[in-house]
Amino acid sequence: MQRRLYPGRDFRRAQNIDELREMARRRLPNFSFEYVEGGADDEVTLRRNRSVFEGITLQPRTLVDVGQRDLGCHFFERPSSMPCLIGPTGFNGLLTDRGDWHLAQAATRAGIPFVLSNASTVAIEEIAAIDGVRAWMQIYLYRTRQHVADLVARCKALELEAIVVTTDSAILGNREWDRRNYSRPLKLDLRNALDVAAHPGWVWDVLVPHGVPRFKNLGNLLKPGQDSVKGAASAIGQELDATLSWQDIAWLRDLWPGKLIVKGLMHPDDAPQALKYGVDGVVLSNHGGRQLDGAVSAMEVLPGIVRQLKGRVSVFLDGGFRRGTDILKARLLGADGVFLGRAGLYGLAAGKGPGASHAIEILRSEMDRSLGLLGCSSLEELTPDLIHDPVWRGLAEAIRR
């Protein structure tokens, strides 16, 4: 009998993230799924983000008592149930109605932080009102700095823990497959318009309740009536600032008294700058393969940057995480935690909030099982000798010297 993924719609039957991905693909119209799925140019970096994990092989111990296992860790001295969190992803209102709210609820149920995207269709005030939520806010340093200052003021009023400033999108990447869905900017071509009509479940979920989703955190950045996903896209593009520099991080640091995290760092020469400008954390990221095609994966630069920053700045990363073992490999190479992007979105698209929770629990189960199979009871027991490859093991050992 030929192998195949579960072909139905019951997200609870999904065995892994790839199966949730297939359910999401079937439920969403093509243009919406392509926005989540696609990368830049030839998608070399998009593929590299996944293939890098195959080269890091593990060498487990045996005859070790692993009857009690604990995935718990700390981010900024506060506990997290496992070494991952839901990272910022925009336009989630095109996956399901109030998508970001559902994702935040899922993260809260799982006991991990949630980072709301600047390009969210749910207001940060609604997220902060969720009982027990650990909410962080992503921002872009747009040309209109008063908007940025106003958003920071909102975050201060809500007493949020952290701001995550994304720095790798000052120039928008070349996402050809996404653009092919449109006959002109923001106008779906006939094929995609008919495809939307062929997904009535999505139409009733996303478009019927409140119309085209509207941005809720862009405020004075947009003209009246241009706050819809369709109307705001061109305005946001014009606000991207190619002059962005570390001096702008200094400006933001003066405004924001909480934890400040810089997302998009990839070069080891940038690591000392994070220390110089007083940031509390960095996220190593190539933006999910959606910006510079041909860039290395965050996993490849992780050990070198951790070696420079370990103990002084928290180091996170994202890009291609689909298995619990992927997350454990990042911990072995020195990461404090992993930002989840597409993995959570596949669950959200397949089954709203419960689907997102299922995606998180799949990864939790895989991490717990793999931790035990490695012969470890906690994340602290993950040591370089568990890596088989000499090069990767050497990098992991260098971090601990």
Side-chain angles (χ1 to χ4, degrees):
M1 182 178 294
Q2 184 179 5
R3 286 181 170 185
R4 67 170 184 172
L5 297 177
Y6 166 66
R9 298 182 179 181
D10 185 357
F11 67 85
R12 293 164 297 187
R13 292 188 60 180
Q15 300 295 308
N16 55 44
I17 299 299
D18 279 348
E19 206 152 26
L20 285 173
R21 173 189 175 277
E22 181 61 19
M23 293 180 186
R25 186 190 65 78
R26 291 196 299 266
R27 179 183 172 272
L28 296 177
N30 175 71
F31 87 94
S32 182
F33 183 73
E34 180 57 51
Y35 177 77
V36 173
E37 189 76 352
D41 295 336
D42 296 315
E43 301 185 332
V44 173
T45 296
L46 183 68
R47 293 189 294 274
R48 189 184 188 105
N49 282 350
R50 284 297 303 138
S51 64
V52 66
F53 293 107
E54 296 180 9
I56 307 172
T57 53
L58 302 172
Q59 190 164 294
R61 302 187 189 96
T62 192
L63 293 174
V64 179
D65 182 357
V66 290
Q68 298 293 323
R69 299 179 298 281
D70 182 11
L71 292 172
C73 62
H74 287 78
F75 301 144
F76 303 122
E77 300 180 351
R78 291 183 57 185
S80 176
S81 69
M82 52 185 166
C84 58
L85 58 157
I86 297 297
T89 51
F91 295 78
N92 291 338
L94 289 177
L95 304 185
T96 190
D97 184 42
R98 294 175 57 77
D100 295 288
W101 188 85
H102 289 298
L103 269 178
Q105 287 278 7
T108 303
R109 286 191 292 267
I112 61 176
F114 171 77
V115 189
L116 183 68
S117 169
N118 197 173
S120 167
T121 53
V122 176
I124 183 58
E125 287 80 6
E126 293 183 71
I127 300 299
I130 296 172
D131 187 30
V133 72
R134 188 174 175 185
W136 301 356
M137 183 70 198
Q138 179 220 27
I139 66 170
Y140 285 92
L141 287 169
Y142 293 122
R143 293 178 185 274
T144 305
R145 292 302 162 83
Q146 186 57 50
H147 160 73
V148 179
D150 291 345
L151 183 56
V152 170
R154 289 168 67 184
C155 294
K156 288 171 67 174
L158 295 168
E159 299 183 342
L160 297 191
E161 178 182 4
I163 279 178
V164 179
V165 55
T166 294
T167 64
D168 58 6
S169 301
I171 299 172
L172 193 63
N174 183 32
R175 304 166 194 176
E176 296 172 356
W177 285 107
D178 188 35
R179 292 206 308 271
R180 285 188 175 97
N181 296 313
Y182 301 88
S183 57
R184 61 179 186 272
L186 303 175
K187 175 68 174 179
L188 291 176
D189 62 18
L190 178 60
R191 179 178 65 91
N192 277 278
L194 293 174
D195 183 65
V196 168
H199 290 80
W202 178 88
V203 171
W204 280 95
D205 174 31
V206 172
L207 299 182
V208 171
H210 310 291
V212 176
R214 297 183 177 276
F215 292 113
K216 297 297 179 66
N217 297 298
L218 296 179
N220 56 2
L221 191 68
L222 304 175
K223 296 178 181 178
Q226 287 191 346
D227 61 343
S228 72
V229 169
K230 181 177 180 179
S234 59
I236 293 173
Q238 294 170 6
E239 283 287 336
L240 296 179
D241 188 357
T243 70
L244 188 64
S245 74
W246 281 100
Q247 294 302 318
D248 298 294
I249 300 299
W251 173 81
L252 184 60
R253 177 74 283 179
D254 288 341
L255 285 182
W256 175 246
K259 301 298 183 184
L260 179 61
I261 303 167
V262 171
K263 181 176 181 289
L265 192 148
M266 288 291 281
H267 199 287
D269 288 351
D270 289 335
Q273 297 290 85
L275 297 172
K276 177 180 177 181
Y277 287 92
V279 306
D280 302 287
V282 297
V283 185
L284 313 184
S285 174
N286 57 37
H287 213 96
R290 295 159 72 84
Q291 286 296 100
L292 176 63
D293 201 25
V296 298
S297 76
M299 284 290 288
E300 291 172 284
V301 301
L302 173 63
I305 292 177
V306 167
R307 191 174 183 183
Q308 295 186 70
L309 299 179
K310 192 68 173 177
R312 293 178 288 178
V313 172
S314 295
V315 179
F316 304 91
L317 76 163
D318 65 11
F321 288 88
R322 301 289 187 274
R323 286 286 188 180
T325 48
D326 300 339
I327 299 171
L328 295 185
K329 289 173 182 179
R331 285 285 301 199
L332 277 163
L333 292 171
D336 290 287
V338 166
F339 277 41
L340 300 176
R342 291 181 178 92
L345 297 184
Y346 295 148
L348 178 70
K352 298 190 177 186
S357 288
H358 187 57
I360 295 170
E361 291 309 311
I362 285 173
L363 293 172
R364 183 198 299 275
S365 176
E366 291 177 349
M367 275 189 283
D368 176 72
R369 182 185 309 112
S370 298
L371 188 71
L373 288 172
L374 281 168
C376 300
S377 296
S378 68
L379 299 177
E380 286 68 32
E381 295 179 14
L382 292 171
T383 51
D385 60 286
L386 296 171
I387 302 176
H388 176 261
D389 316 86
V391 173
W392 286 106
R393 185 173 63 248
L395 292 170
E397 289 170 344
I399 295 167
R400 295 172 178 260
R401 293 180 189 140

PDB file of all heavy atoms in Angstrom, residues 189-204:
ATOM      1  N   ASP A 189      -5.603  37.733 -10.026  1.00  0.00           N
ATOM      2  CA  ASP A 189      -5.925  37.400 -11.406  1.00  0.00           C
ATOM      3  C   ASP A 189      -7.145  36.485 -11.434  1.00  0.00           C
ATOM      4  O   ASP A 189      -7.645  36.042 -10.386  1.00  0.00           O
ATOM      5  CB  ASP A 189      -4.723  36.782 -12.130  1.00  0.00           C
ATOM      6  CG  ASP A 189      -4.256  35.471 -11.515  1.00  0.00           C
ATOM      7  OD1 ASP A 189      -5.017  34.834 -10.757  1.00  0.00           O
ATOM      8  OD2 ASP A 189      -3.110  35.070 -11.802  1.00  0.00           O
ATOM      9  N   LEU A 190      -7.645  36.212 -12.629  1.00  0.00           N
ATOM     10  CA  LEU A 190      -8.887  35.457 -12.760  1.00  0.00           C
ATOM     11  C   LEU A 190      -8.761  34.070 -12.141  1.00  0.00           C
ATOM     12  O   LEU A 190      -9.678  33.595 -11.453  1.00  0.00           O
ATOM     13  CB  LEU A 190      -9.265  35.347 -14.241  1.00  0.00           C
ATOM     14  CG  LEU A 190     -10.536  34.544 -14.537  1.00  0.00           C
ATOM     15  CD1 LEU A 190     -11.753  35.165 -13.846  1.00  0.00           C
ATOM     16  CD2 LEU A 190     -10.764  34.449 -16.056  1.00  0.00           C
ATOM     17  N   ARG A 191      -7.640  33.410 -12.369  1.00  0.00           N
ATOM     18  CA  ARG A 191      -7.452  32.059 -11.833  1.00  0.00           C
ATOM     19  C   ARG A 191      -7.565  32.050 -10.311  1.00  0.00           C
ATOM     20  O   ARG A 191      -8.229  31.185  -9.732  1.00  0.00           O
ATOM     21  CB  ARG A 191      -6.084  31.532 -12.266  1.00  0.00           C
ATOM     22  CG  ARG A 191      -5.748  30.137 -11.767  1.00  0.00           C
ATOM     23  CD  ARG A 191      -4.391  29.705 -12.310  1.00  0.00           C
ATOM     24  NE  ARG A 191      -3.318  30.542 -11.800  1.00  0.00           N
ATOM     25  CZ  ARG A 191      -2.627  30.272 -10.678  1.00  0.00           C
ATOM     26  NH1 ARG A 191      -2.899  29.186  -9.986  1.00  0.00           N
ATOM     27  NH2 ARG A 191      -1.658  31.075 -10.288  1.00  0.00           N
ATOM     28  N   ASN A 192      -6.950  33.018  -9.659  1.00  0.00           N
ATOM     29  CA  ASN A 192      -6.987  33.065  -8.199  1.00  0.00           C
ATOM     30  C   ASN A 192      -8.329  33.549  -7.675  1.00  0.00           C
ATOM     31  O   ASN A 192      -8.773  33.126  -6.597  1.00  0.00           O
ATOM     32  CB  ASN A 192      -5.853  33.946  -7.675  1.00  0.00           C
ATOM     33  CG  ASN A 192      -4.543  33.197  -7.596  1.00  0.00           C
ATOM     34  OD1 ASN A 192      -4.283  32.474  -6.631  1.00  0.00           O
ATOM     35  ND2 ASN A 192      -3.717  33.344  -8.622  1.00  0.00           N
ATOM     36  N   ALA A 193      -8.997  34.421  -8.415  1.00  0.00           N
ATOM     37  CA  ALA A 193     -10.341  34.848  -8.011  1.00  0.00           C
ATOM     38  C   ALA A 193     -11.304  33.666  -8.026  1.00  0.00           C
ATOM     39  O   ALA A 193     -12.129  33.495  -7.117  1.00  0.00           O
ATOM     40  CB  ALA A 193     -10.832  35.964  -8.930  1.00  0.00           C
ATOM     41  N   LEU A 194     -11.207  32.836  -9.070  1.00  0.00           N
ATOM     42  CA  LEU A 194     -12.052  31.638  -9.132  1.00  0.00           C
ATOM     43  C   LEU A 194     -11.677  30.653  -8.034  1.00  0.00           C
ATOM     44  O   LEU A 194     -12.543  29.966  -7.466  1.00  0.00           O
ATOM     45  CB  LEU A 194     -11.913  30.984 -10.510  1.00  0.00           C
ATOM     46  CG  LEU A 194     -12.479  31.786 -11.693  1.00  0.00           C
ATOM     47  CD1 LEU A 194     -12.131  31.093 -13.007  1.00  0.00           C
ATOM     48  CD2 LEU A 194     -13.983  31.960 -11.552  1.00  0.00           C
ATOM     49  N   ASP A 195     -10.377  30.596  -7.707  1.00  0.00           N
ATOM     50  CA  ASP A 195      -9.929  29.700  -6.640  1.00  0.00           C
ATOM     51  C   ASP A 195     -10.502  30.124  -5.292  1.00  0.00           C
ATOM     52  O   ASP A 195     -10.853  29.273  -4.470  1.00  0.00           O
ATOM     53  CB  ASP A 195      -8.405  29.694  -6.598  1.00  0.00           C
ATOM     54  CG  ASP A 195      -7.872  28.731  -5.562  1.00  0.00           C
ATOM     55  OD1 ASP A 195      -8.084  27.511  -5.719  1.00  0.00           O
ATOM     56  OD2 ASP A 195      -7.254  29.193  -4.577  1.00  0.00           O
ATOM     57  N   VAL A 196     -10.598  31.435  -5.044  1.00  0.00           N
ATOM     58  CA  VAL A 196     -11.225  31.918  -3.809  1.00  0.00           C
ATOM     59  C   VAL A 196     -12.675  31.436  -3.740  1.00  0.00           C
ATOM     60  O   VAL A 196     -13.143  30.953  -2.702  1.00  0.00           O
ATOM     61  CB  VAL A 196     -11.154  33.457  -3.735  1.00  0.00           C
ATOM     62  CG1 VAL A 196     -12.051  33.978  -2.613  1.00  0.00           C
ATOM     63  CG2 VAL A 196      -9.722  33.912  -3.506  1.00  0.00           C
ATOM     64  N   ALA A 197     -13.392  31.548  -4.865  1.00  0.00           N
ATOM     65  CA  ALA A 197     -14.789  31.097  -4.898  1.00  0.00           C
ATOM     66  C   ALA A 197     -14.912  29.602  -4.652  1.00  0.00           C
ATOM     67  O   ALA A 197     -15.944  29.118  -4.175  1.00  0.00           O
ATOM     68  CB  ALA A 197     -15.414  31.468  -6.240  1.00  0.00           C
ATOM     69  N   ALA A 198     -13.850  28.863  -4.961  1.00  0.00           N
ATOM     70  CA  ALA A 198     -13.861  27.413  -4.750  1.00  0.00           C
ATOM     71  C   ALA A 198     -13.541  27.038  -3.294  1.00  0.00           C
ATOM     72  O   ALA A 198     -13.483  25.848  -2.976  1.00  0.00           O
ATOM     73  CB  ALA A 198     -12.856  26.742  -5.690  1.00  0.00           C
ATOM     74  N   HIS A 199     -13.355  28.027  -2.441  1.00  0.00           N
ATOM     75  CA  HIS A 199     -13.075  27.781  -1.014  1.00  0.00           C
ATOM     76  C   HIS A 199     -14.119  28.505  -0.163  1.00  0.00           C
ATOM     77  O   HIS A 199     -13.797  29.456   0.567  1.00  0.00           O
ATOM     78  CB  HIS A 199     -11.662  28.262  -0.648  1.00  0.00           C
ATOM     79  CG  HIS A 199     -10.571  27.434  -1.248  1.00  0.00           C
ATOM     80  ND1 HIS A 199     -10.159  27.580  -2.557  1.00  0.00           N
ATOM     81  CD2 HIS A 199      -9.813  26.438  -0.715  1.00  0.00           C
ATOM     82  CE1 HIS A 199      -9.185  26.718  -2.798  1.00  0.00           C
ATOM     83  NE2 HIS A 199      -8.959  26.021  -1.710  1.00  0.00           N
ATOM     84  N   PRO A 200     -15.391  28.078  -0.238  1.00  0.00           N
ATOM     85  CA  PRO A 200     -16.453  28.790   0.482  1.00  0.00           C
ATOM     86  C   PRO A 200     -16.273  28.778   1.998  1.00  0.00           C
ATOM     87  O   PRO A 200     -16.674  29.724   2.676  1.00  0.00           O
ATOM     88  CB  PRO A 200     -17.724  28.045   0.070  1.00  0.00           C
ATOM     89  CG  PRO A 200     -17.245  26.683  -0.360  1.00  0.00           C
ATOM     90  CD  PRO A 200     -15.913  26.916  -0.987  1.00  0.00           C
ATOM     91  N   GLY A 201     -15.654  27.726   2.535  1.00  0.00           N
ATOM     92  CA  GLY A 201     -15.419  27.688   3.974  1.00  0.00           C
ATOM     93  C   GLY A 201     -14.519  28.828   4.424  1.00  0.00           C
ATOM     94  O   GLY A 201     -14.768  29.477   5.443  1.00  0.00           O
ATOM     95  N   TRP A 202     -13.469  29.085   3.655  1.00  0.00           N
ATOM     96  CA  TRP A 202     -12.561  30.194   3.954  1.00  0.00           C
ATOM     97  C   TRP A 202     -13.283  31.526   3.796  1.00  0.00           C
ATOM     98  O   TRP A 202     -13.124  32.433   4.629  1.00  0.00           O
ATOM     99  CB  TRP A 202     -11.347  30.120   3.036  1.00  0.00           C
ATOM    100  CG  TRP A 202     -10.377  31.250   3.222  1.00  0.00           C
ATOM    101  CD1 TRP A 202      -9.340  31.302   4.101  1.00  0.00           C
ATOM    102  CD2 TRP A 202     -10.355  32.499   2.510  1.00  0.00           C
ATOM    103  NE1 TRP A 202      -8.674  32.501   3.989  1.00  0.00           N
ATOM    104  CE2 TRP A 202      -9.269  33.251   3.017  1.00  0.00           C
ATOM    105  CE3 TRP A 202     -11.138  33.047   1.498  1.00  0.00           C
ATOM    106  CZ2 TRP A 202      -8.958  34.526   2.546  1.00  0.00           C
ATOM    107  CZ3 TRP A 202     -10.830  34.317   1.022  1.00  0.00           C
ATOM    108  CH2 TRP A 202      -9.750  35.040   1.546  1.00  0.00           C
ATOM    109  N   VAL A 203     -14.085  31.669   2.742  1.00  0.00           N
ATOM    110  CA  VAL A 203     -14.815  32.911   2.506  1.00  0.00           C
ATOM    111  C   VAL A 203     -15.722  33.235   3.690  1.00  0.00           C
ATOM    112  O   VAL A 203     -15.731  34.369   4.202  1.00  0.00           O
ATOM    113  CB  VAL A 203     -15.631  32.827   1.201  1.00  0.00           C
ATOM    114  CG1 VAL A 203     -16.561  34.030   1.073  1.00  0.00           C
ATOM    115  CG2 VAL A 203     -14.708  32.736  -0.008  1.00  0.00           C
ATOM    116  N   TRP A 204     -16.464  32.241   4.167  1.00  0.00           N
ATOM    117  CA  TRP A 204     -17.384  32.465   5.284  1.00  0.00           C
ATOM    118  C   TRP A 204     -16.632  32.725   6.584  1.00  0.00           C
ATOM    119  O   TRP A 204     -17.124  33.450   7.464  1.00  0.00           O
ATOM    120  CB  TRP A 204     -18.333  31.280   5.434  1.00  0.00           C
ATOM    121  CG  TRP A 204     -19.458  31.324   4.452  1.00  0.00           C
ATOM    122  CD1 TRP A 204     -19.526  30.713   3.232  1.00  0.00           C
ATOM    123  CD2 TRP A 204     -20.684  32.055   4.593  1.00  0.00           C
ATOM    124  NE1 TRP A 204     -20.704  31.011   2.602  1.00  0.00           N
ATOM    125  CE2 TRP A 204     -21.439  31.838   3.417  1.00  0.00           C
ATOM    126  CE3 TRP A 204     -21.202  32.873   5.586  1.00  0.00           C
ATOM    127  CZ2 TRP A 204     -22.693  32.410   3.226  1.00  0.00           C
ATOM    128  CZ3 TRP A 204     -22.461  33.450   5.399  1.00  0.00           C
ATOM    129  CH2 TRP A 204     -23.195  33.212   4.229  1.00  0.00           C
TER     130      TRP A 204
END
